[in-house]
Amino acid sequence: MSIEEKIGLFREDYNRLKSEIGKVIVGHEDIVDGTLIAVFAGGHVLLEGVPGLGKTLLVRTLSQALNLSFNRIQFTPDLMPADILGTNLVVETQEGRKVFEFQKGPIFAHLVLADEINRATPKTQSAMLEAMQEKSVTAGGEIRKLASPFFVLATQNPIDQEGTYPLPEAQLDRFFFKLVVTYPSGDELTEVINRTTDGRKIEVTEILDGNKICEYQELVRQVPVPKHVRDYAVRLILATHPQTETAEDITNQYLRFGSSPRGAQTLILAAKARALTEGRFNVSFDDIQQSILPALRHRLIPNFEAEAEGITTDHVLHEIEAKVDRQAGVSTRS
Amino acid sequence: MKDRKLVEQKLMHAGKRRRWQQSWMGLWKGFFWGALLWLTTLIVFKLFPVPFEVLAWSGVAWVTMTIIGPARSLFKPVDLGETAQWVDDQCELKERFTAALEFQERETWGNIILKDAKHFIEQVKPRNLVCFKLPSAAKWSVFVLAVSVGLGFAPEYRTEAYTEKEREEAIIKNTGKQLVTFIRQEIKKRPPALKPTESAMADVAELGTQLSKGKLERGNALRELAKVTEKLKKEHTSLDRKPALKRMQKAARTPAESASPKNLNAMQKRMDSLKQQMGENATSSSDLQEMQRKLDQLKQTASGLQSPEGGMNEALKQSLTQQLGEMAQKAAQTGISTEQLEAALANLTSGDLEKFLKHLGDAQIDMEKTAQMSSELQNLQMQMDQIGKNLAEQLEKGQATFARQNLIDKSNKLTSGQLSEEELQKMLKELQNAIPEAADYGIVQDFLKKASKQMQQGDEAGAAKSLQTAADELENLMDQFGDMQSLMASLENLATAKMSVGNGMSWGQSSKPGFKPGGKPGKGVGTWGEEGGTWQNKLPQQAADNSGVTRPEVAGKGPTDRGEGELVDGLTSTKIKGQFDSSAPMPSITLKGLSIKGQSRVEFTESVTAAQADAQSALSQQRVPRAYQTTVRDYFDELGP
C-alpha cells in the first residue's frame, strides 16, 4: 500500500472514529480532536474540567470505538501504587505449592482511564510515571511491558481542591496534551438532553484495533516538517524559557519555568498528526499553532506574580504566540 | 520531474513579480525615510544654526535613499525558498510549496508533496498576489512633504550674535575672494619684475586664499592684513624713493598717459582725418557750443511759427529767416556743412513748416557731430602736446616709454652708419641736452654721457651700444614702475579689505565709501564735505587742460626727506592729568567718516594692534605732519591693555 493510500485510509478511519464518538459526545470537537490526535501521536491526555462535562464518557466512548482493552482507575486518596500496577500474591498451585504470582493491576490495558487523578496522593500518582513514559512496569524486581498501544487518559477536577493533590511537574510533563473541557453551548446542551433522556441506547461501533493504531502512529511520525516550521516550533519553546535571551517579556514576568524538550516533541508530533487529519502531507504553521495550548499549557510553571494576578499559562502562551514571528527573517508582507 | 518544474516555474514567476513589487515598496519606503530625514534636518536647520551644507547633504541622502530603496530589491536574485514561503503565506497554502521545494529529493514523500503542491498551482496568480498600489509610506510621504513645504516658509531662528558672526564670515570670505581675483588680474596685467614685489604679491594672494577659505577669524584676519600691508608698504616706499619712478608717476597723471610710441602714428592719423573732415577752418568747440545753443533757440522759436489762423506768423518768419541766414553764413565761414541749414532756409521761405523743422533737426545733429569731432581733436592735440619732443623733454617729463623708443631709434640709426655729419651733430646735441635731465635715472645718465663721448670720438658703434644699454636700463626702470603701480593697487585693495573686515562692510561699500552722487548720506556723525552730494554731480565732461598753469607762489607740498620734524616750543606735547567732571558735558568731536552702529565685538587688543599698524603706516607714508609725528608715535606706542 502506498503512502498516499495509507494516508487516505487514515483520514477515512479518523473521520469515522470521530463520527462514532460524535454519536455519544455532543460538541467538544476540539477535545475529541485533541484526544484522537494524542492517540495517533502515541501520547497521554489529561482532561481537565468541572464534573459532568463528559470527560469520562469521552474516554469510555473512545475505548468502545477502538477495539482495545480498557481499564478504569478511580483515583482516591487511599489508592496505593500496587492498586494500579499490580502486586505479587501468594497463590497455591495445583500441586499444592505456594508461590508468588504477579497479579496485574488495571494499568495493564491498552486504554487506561485515570479518573480524577489528582485525588490520589503523589506517591500513587508517581506510580504512573514509568508506565506512561517507558510503557512498562517494574514490580518485584521484574520489568513488565505494557500492551501496545498504551494510552492513559486522565481526568481531573479543577474546583474540588479539598483532598486533592496537584500533579507533580514530572507527571504533568508526561501528558502529551492537557485538554480543558468547557461548558457546552446552548444548542449542544439541548442536544445532550435530547440524547440522554429519551431512553435511546446508542451503540458505538468498533473502528480501529491496536495494530492499526500502531501503524498509524508510525505513519504520523513520517510526515515531513519544513525547516522553517520546525524553527518556529523551536522558537516558541525557547520563548517560554524565562530569563534567557530568547524569552519574551511576558515569560520573564509571569513564568518560573518554561517548557521541557518534551514540549517541542509534542508540538511537532501533534502538528504532524493534525496535518494528516486534514489530508495534508506536510506540517504547516497552523498545525503548530493549533497545538500550542494543549501541548504546552501544563508544561509551563507560572510564578507567584502570575498566580496573584490570575494570569494563566494559556494567557502567557497566547501572548508568546502573538509575539513570535512565524517567518523570522523572511519578508512575507506584500 | 515535471511537477517539480511546474512548481519552480510558478515560483520563479511569482518571485520576479514580487521583486518588482518590493522595488515599488522600496521606492516609497526610501522616499519616505529620506523625506523624514529631510524634514528632521529642516526642523533642526530652522531652529539651530547648523550650516546650510547639512541641509544640502540631507537632500542628497534623500535622493540616495529613494534610489537605494528600490535598487536593493530590484537587483536581488529571486530566492525560490523565500518566494515559496511568501506564496504559502499569501495564498494560505499551509506550507505546501515550501515543503515541495524542501522535500523534493525524498523518494516517496517528495513526490506526494510535489503532486499536492501542483494541485494548488492554479491558485497562485502572481498578478493578483502582487498589486501595485500606493503603500502607506506614500501617504505619509505626502504628509511629510506638505509639512516640509509649510516649514519652508517659516523663517529660521537665529540669534543676533550668530547672524552677525555669519555675516562677518561671509564678508571675510568675500574679501579673500576679491583679493585673490585682484592679485590674479594684476599679475596677469603686470607680471612683477622684482623678486620682493613678487614675494609681496604672493603674500597677498596667500592671505586672500586663507580669507576666502574662512580659516581666519576677524581679529586674526585684521592682524594678517596689517602685516601684509606693512610689507607691501615697505616695498612700495623703497621704490617710491627712486626719483626716476617719481617722474614716471607724474607722467602717468598727465593726459598723455595713454599715448605710447606704438599708437603715436595712429593718433596722428586720427588727428589728420579729423582735421580733413572738419576742414582747414576748424572752429573751436566753444564756438560750436555757441552755435548749437543758438540752433536750439531757433528750433524753440520755430515751434511758435504756426499762427492760430492756420497760416504762418510772418513777422516771426522774417526774423527766423534772417537768423538762419546769418547762422548759415557763419557756419560756412567756419567750415561746417551748411547743407541742412540752407535746405531748412529754403523750406522756411517756401512755407513748408514740416520740412523746415526736419532739416533744422538734421542740422542740429550735424552740429553735434562736428562738436564731438572738435572735442576729440582737441583732446588728441592735448595729448600730442604733452609728449616730449626730444630726449631731454621726454626724460624730464618722465615719459620713459618715449625716451626708451627714442634711444632705440638713435641706436639703430648709429648702427646703420648712414647718418650724415649734420644729423650726427644734431643727435649729439640732443644727447648732451638730455644728460642733465637723466640725472634722476641712475646709470642711464652714465650711458648717455658715455655715448656722447663715444660719438665725439667717432665711435658710432660704441655709442649705439651705450644707447641700447641706456634703453635697457630705462626698460628696467619701467618694470620697477610697473611693480610700484602694482603695489599701490594692492595697497588700495588691502585698505579696502581692512575696511571691509574691520567694519563689517561689503567689498563694494568699502571700495567706494561714502555715498554715491545723488544719494543721501547715512545716519550718524556728519561729514566735513557737502552732505547733499551735489558737489559730485558736476563732473567735468571734458578733460580740462590746466597743464600750462603755473603757480609759483604755492610751493610743492609733497612728501619730502627733510628728516624728522620737531615741534616748535609752544607745541610740546603734555599729558593732562585730572578727572572728568561728571556734571559737565563730555568733550566730543565730530569726525568725518562713516557711521558705525552697534556694539563692538572686536577685542581691545585687536583694535589696538590694528590702530598701531595703521598709525605706523601713516607715519611711514608721511601722511602725518612732521611736527606731530613724534607725538602720534608716542601715543600709539603707549596704547595697550
Side-chain angles (χ1 to χ4, degrees):
Chain A
M1 194 187 285
S2 70
I3 288 179
E4 271 175 295
E5 286 168 342
K6 276 185 191 172
I7 292 169
L9 206 59
F10 169 81
R11 207 162 170 236
E12 199 181 309
D13 287 342
Y14 177 82
N15 287 334
R16 280 170 58 209
L17 194 57
K18 204 175 158 188
S19 163
E20 279 306 308
I21 294 169
K23 284 181 188 172
V24 179
I25 303 294
V26 179
H28 292 307
E29 276 203 29
D30 51 338
I31 302 296
V32 175
D33 277 338
T35 310
L36 291 179
I37 282 167
V39 166
F40 290 117
H44 314 289
V45 179
L46 175 64
L47 292 162
E48 185 181 271
V50 292
L53 291 180
K55 301 186 290 289
T56 311
L57 182 64
L58 168 67
V59 180
R60 190 178 290 281
T61 312
L62 183 66
S63 72
Q64 288 168 1
L66 301 173
N67 185 17
L68 299 172
S69 58
F70 172 72
N71 277 334
R72 174 184 170 157
I73 308 167
Q74 184 63 50
F75 278 61
T76 54
D78 58 349
L79 188 75
M80 296 303 287
D83 298 335
I84 299 169
L85 304 175
T87 187
N88 283 320
L89 295 176
V90 180
V91 291
E92 199 173 317
T93 60
Q94 286 178 347
E95 292 84 30
R97 283 194 300 131
K98 287 183 179 172
V99 292
F100 277 105
E101 187 183 290
F102 183 72
Q103 201 68 44
K104 287 180 181 174
I107 197 83
F108 286 88
H110 286 109
L111 191 59
V112 176
L113 168 60
D115 211 8
E116 295 192 89
I117 192 170
N118 56 337
R119 287 200 179 279
T121 59
K123 179 184 173 186
T124 311
Q125 288 170 358
S126 300
M128 303 284 287
L129 288 177
E130 189 189 356
M132 289 172 77
Q133 183 62 33
E134 316 294 333
K135 294 182 179 169
S136 64
V137 169
T138 306
E142 198 177 333
I143 297 172
R144 290 180 170 79
K145 275 277 175 197
L146 294 174
S148 182
F150 173 72
F151 308 109
V152 174
L153 301 177
T155 66
Q156 72 171 6
N157 181 351
I159 53 167
D160 284 345
Q161 296 302 313
E162 190 112 0
T164 62
Y165 302 91
L167 289 172
E169 281 74 27
Q171 177 75 27
L172 277 173
D173 200 32
R174 278 164 174 76
F175 282 105
F176 188 83
F177 271 179
K178 177 183 176 183
L179 301 169
V180 178
V181 186
T182 53
Y183 287 113
S185 65
D187 292 342
E188 287 169 353
L189 194 58
T190 310
E191 185 60 28
V192 168
I193 292 166
N194 289 340
R195 283 191 197 178
T196 53
T197 56
D198 62 357
R200 273 186 302 168
K201 193 176 180 190
I202 300 166
E203 290 292 330
V204 178
T205 318
E206 286 181 1
I207 306 292
L208 290 171
D209 59 11
N211 289 336
K212 203 74 181 165
I213 290 173
C214 288
E215 211 175 290
Y216 286 149
Q217 282 179 350
E218 278 298 308
L219 183 68
V220 164
R221 287 178 180 269
Q222 288 175 33
V223 176
V225 186
K227 188 177 173 296
H228 63 296
V229 177
R230 195 170 55 238
D231 290 348
Y232 174 60
V234 171
R235 274 185 279 117
L236 278 173
I237 296 298
L238 292 177
T240 65
H241 295 167
Q243 314 307 329
T244 59
E245 279 182 14
T246 51
E248 294 293 338
D249 291 343
I250 194 162
T251 310
N252 292 330
Q253 194 178 354
Y254 292 122
L255 292 187
R256 197 146 57 90
F257 293 103
S259 167
S260 65
R262 272 200 198 98
Q265 292 167 342
T266 306
L267 265 185
I268 295 293
L269 268 178
K272 285 182 172 189
R274 203 179 286 275
L276 283 188
T277 61
E278 290 182 9
R280 270 182 291 109
F281 307 104
N282 62 280
V283 174
S284 73
F285 286 114
D286 290 351
D287 298 328
I288 299 280
Q289 279 181 324
Q290 285 175 28
S291 307
I292 291 173
L293 285 182
L296 301 182
R297 60 160 62 107
H298 54 293
R299 291 188 163 91
L300 307 185
I301 301 171
N303 59 15
F304 175 76
E305 194 180 344
E307 281 172 5
E309 291 180 23
I311 301 290
T312 62
T313 52
D314 280 17
H315 176 81
V316 175
L317 284 169
H318 276 304
E319 281 285 312
I320 289 172
E321 186 194 336
K323 289 273 172 66
V324 176
D325 187 9
R326 299 207 314 188
Q327 309 267 15
V330 179
S331 165
T332 55
R333 289 179 188 164
S334 57
Chain B
M1 202 63 183
K2 198 182 164 192
D3 294 345
R4 180 179 161 181
K5 267 197 172 173
L6 277 171
V7 169
E8 282 182 355
Q9 272 175 0
K10 184 59 100 177
L11 286 176
M12 185 55 84
H13 183 202
K16 282 178 181 171
R17 181 93 185 164
R18 181 177 173 237
R19 195 166 60 179
W20 278 107
Q21 193 247 12
Q22 281 181 331
S23 302
W24 173 250
M25 300 291 289
L27 172 77
W28 283 109
K29 271 186 189 170
F31 186 80
F32 168 71
W33 286 111
L36 201 64
L37 176 72
W38 162 262
L39 177 65
T40 313
T41 319
L42 187 64
I43 291 169
V44 172
F45 179 75
K46 292 283 177 185
L47 292 177
F48 303 101
V50 291
F52 182 76
E53 286 75 23
V54 175
L55 202 60
W57 278 113
S58 167
V60 173
W62 183 1
V63 174
T64 313
M65 284 163 96
T66 312
I67 294 167
I68 287 175
R72 272 181 61 211
S73 309
L74 204 61
F75 296 107
K76 196 177 161 188
V78 174
D79 184 334
L80 281 184
E82 199 179 305
T83 311
Q85 287 185 36
W86 175 70
V87 169
D88 282 339
D89 188 63
Q90 295 294 307
C91 303
E92 295 180 353
L93 293 178
K94 309 270 182 189
E95 283 56 67
R96 281 188 170 88
F97 276 39
T98 326
L101 281 184
E102 192 174 334
F103 302 110
Q104 56 185 320
E105 302 301 331
R106 283 201 194 175
E107 210 170 299
T108 44
W109 282 91
N111 288 335
I112 296 168
I113 295 170
L114 265 174
K115 215 181 278 177
D116 184 39
K118 195 192 136 197
H119 287 140
F120 290 87
I121 272 185
E122 291 307 316
Q123 277 187 27
V124 181
K125 292 189 172 110
R127 194 175 287 274
N128 296 345
L129 273 178
V130 183
C131 41
F132 288 87
K133 59 184 180 185
L134 278 180
S136 56
K139 292 164 200 163
W140 280 107
S141 299
V142 171
F143 172 73
V144 170
L145 279 179
V147 174
S148 299
V149 169
L151 209 59
F153 291 103
E156 293 99 38
Y157 170 75
R158 297 287 184 271
T159 59
E160 204 176 322
Y162 177 80
T163 316
E164 188 61 31
K165 195 182 170 194
E166 208 173 37
R167 203 174 137 265
E168 266 178 18
E169 281 176 7
I171 286 171
I172 290 172
K173 280 184 183 175
N174 184 48
T175 304
K177 279 180 195 163
Q178 295 285 354
L179 274 181
V180 171
T181 312
F182 158 74
I183 286 293
R184 276 186 195 150
Q185 287 172 351
E186 190 63 32
I187 290 173
K188 198 176 173 185
K189 188 173 142 193
R190 285 186 287 235
L194 304 172
K195 280 278 172 197
T197 311
E198 195 178 347
S199 160
M201 299 286 270
D203 284 353
V204 178
E206 194 186 331
L207 177 60
T209 311
Q210 281 187 347
L211 292 176
S212 66
K213 286 180 182 171
K215 287 182 180 173
L216 296 174
E217 286 181 358
R218 191 163 174 262
N220 289 335
L222 280 172
R223 210 169 289 133
E224 290 300 316
L225 279 168
K227 267 188 205 169
V228 175
T229 305
E230 199 52 42
K231 188 174 179 182
L232 258 70
K233 274 175 187 171
K234 271 183 193 166
E235 195 54 37
H236 180 263
T237 311
S238 70
L239 289 173
D240 195 34
R241 283 184 182 143
K242 293 185 178 178
L245 300 189
K246 276 184 185 169
R247 287 196 183 214
M248 286 186 200
Q249 217 171 350
K250 191 180 167 189
R253 290 196 287 265
T254 62
E257 179 204 11
S258 57
S260 71
K262 281 179 188 169
N263 66 9
L264 203 56
N265 285 337
M267 282 167 67
Q268 191 59 53
K269 275 182 189 169
R270 177 68 184 155
M271 279 174 70
D272 293 344
S273 159
L274 287 169
K275 277 178 185 169
Q276 203 176 356
Q277 283 177 47
M278 292 176 69
E280 284 305 313
N281 301 323
T283 186
S284 69
S285 61
S286 57
D287 287 345
L288 280 166
Q289 278 174 1
E290 178 62 21
M291 285 173 77
Q292 270 182 301
R293 195 179 57 76
K294 279 185 179 174
L295 205 57
D296 284 344
Q297 281 178 353
L298 267 178
K299 205 175 174 185
Q300 280 177 0
T301 316
S303 58
L305 206 57
Q306 189 84 34
S307 69
E309 292 80 25
M312 274 192 177
N313 188 333
E314 280 306 318
L316 192 58
K317 185 180 170 184
Q318 285 297 327
S319 165
L320 279 173
T321 310
Q322 193 184 345
Q323 285 180 42
L324 210 55
E326 284 171 6
M327 188 173 284
Q329 204 176 354
K330 193 175 179 183
Q333 282 171 1
T334 51
I336 299 168
S337 168
T338 56
E339 195 183 334
Q340 295 297 336
L341 282 174
E342 281 167 1
L345 194 58
N347 285 314
L348 181 65
T349 314
S350 65
D352 190 344
L353 189 60
E354 196 179 332
K355 281 189 177 175
F356 163 67
L357 287 171
K358 182 182 173 293
H359 286 295
L360 208 56
D362 291 344
Q364 263 184 311
I365 293 166
D366 283 352
M367 196 78 78
E368 205 170 309
K369 280 182 185 170
T370 313
Q372 279 175 0
M373 285 195 291
S374 170
S375 171
E376 190 184 352
L377 184 63
Q378 209 173 344
N379 280 335
L380 285 169
Q381 191 62 53
M382 205 187 300
Q383 286 184 32
M384 291 295 278
D385 292 346
Q386 286 289 319
I387 297 166
K389 302 292 176 294
N390 51 44
L391 187 61
E393 274 187 27
Q394 287 162 355
L395 289 173
E396 190 259 327
K397 289 180 177 176
Q399 293 164 348
T401 325
F402 290 99
R404 178 177 164 273
Q405 190 57 45
N406 198 344
L407 286 171
I408 291 168
D409 290 345
K410 284 184 169 50
S411 172
N412 290 341
K413 281 177 186 173
L414 286 171
T415 311
S416 66
Q418 292 172 352
L419 290 172
S420 62
E421 189 58 34
E422 193 184 341
E423 284 172 329
L424 275 172
Q425 286 306 317
K426 195 182 167 189
M427 190 184 286
L428 178 63
K429 196 178 175 186
E430 191 182 338
L431 283 177
Q432 283 173 338
N433 287 341
I435 287 168
E437 297 299 337
D440 289 344
Y441 293 86
I443 57 170
V444 174
Q445 189 185 37
D446 298 339
F447 283 106
L448 288 183
K449 280 178 186 172
K450 194 178 172 185
S452 171
K453 204 172 176 183
Q454 284 165 330
M455 281 178 75
Q456 282 171 345
Q457 290 167 354
D459 181 5
E460 289 177 20
K465 203 175 174 184
S466 299
L467 288 179
Q468 185 59 49
T469 315
D472 292 345
E473 178 56 22
L474 269 180
E475 191 178 5
N476 184 27
L477 285 170
M478 280 160 62
D479 287 343
Q480 289 182 27
F481 178 64
D483 278 10
M484 198 170 84
Q485 281 184 313
S486 291
L487 288 169
M488 187 62 110
S490 302
L491 280 168
E492 277 175 22
N493 276 282
L494 281 170
T496 308
K498 269 162 79 176
M499 197 169 190
S500 180
V501 175
N503 294 343
M505 289 154 58
S506 72
W507 184 268
Q509 280 178 310
S510 305
S511 55
K512 289 171 188 170
F515 47 91
K516 290 175 183 173
K520 289 181 178 177
K523 290 177 184 175
V525 294
T527 60
W528 288 343
E530 178 61 52
E531 290 197 345
T534 48
W535 61 279
Q536 287 185 339
N537 285 342
K538 291 180 180 173
L539 294 172
Q541 300 297 315
Q542 293 174 355
D545 179 16
N546 60 356
S547 57
V549 178
T550 51
R551 300 183 68 185
E553 75 281 8
V554 181
K557 287 183 176 175
T560 55
D561 297 325
R562 285 175 287 178
E564 207 166 81
E566 287 176 7
L567 287 174
V568 292
D569 296 341
L571 284 173
T572 310
S573 59
T574 51
K575 285 184 181 174
I576 301 165
K577 290 180 180 175
Q579 286 182 329
F580 282 115
D581 180 1
S582 57
S583 60
M586 285 287 286
S588 64
I589 184 167
T590 306
L591 295 172
K592 181 180 179 179
L594 291 167
S595 59
I596 301 166
K597 286 175 73 182
Q599 199 175 357
S600 170
R601 270 176 291 282
V602 183
E603 284 179 28
F604 177 68
T605 47
E606 284 174 23
S607 41
V608 165
T609 312
Q612 281 173 336
D614 279 347
Q616 187 56 43
S617 162
L619 287 165
S620 62
Q621 286 195 334
Q622 296 177 336
R623 284 190 286 171
V624 180
R626 283 191 309 120
Y628 295 98
Q629 282 178 358
T630 315
T631 313
V632 169
R633 187 175 289 119
D634 289 348
Y635 172 77
F636 280 99
D637 285 349
E638 281 172 18
L639 277 180

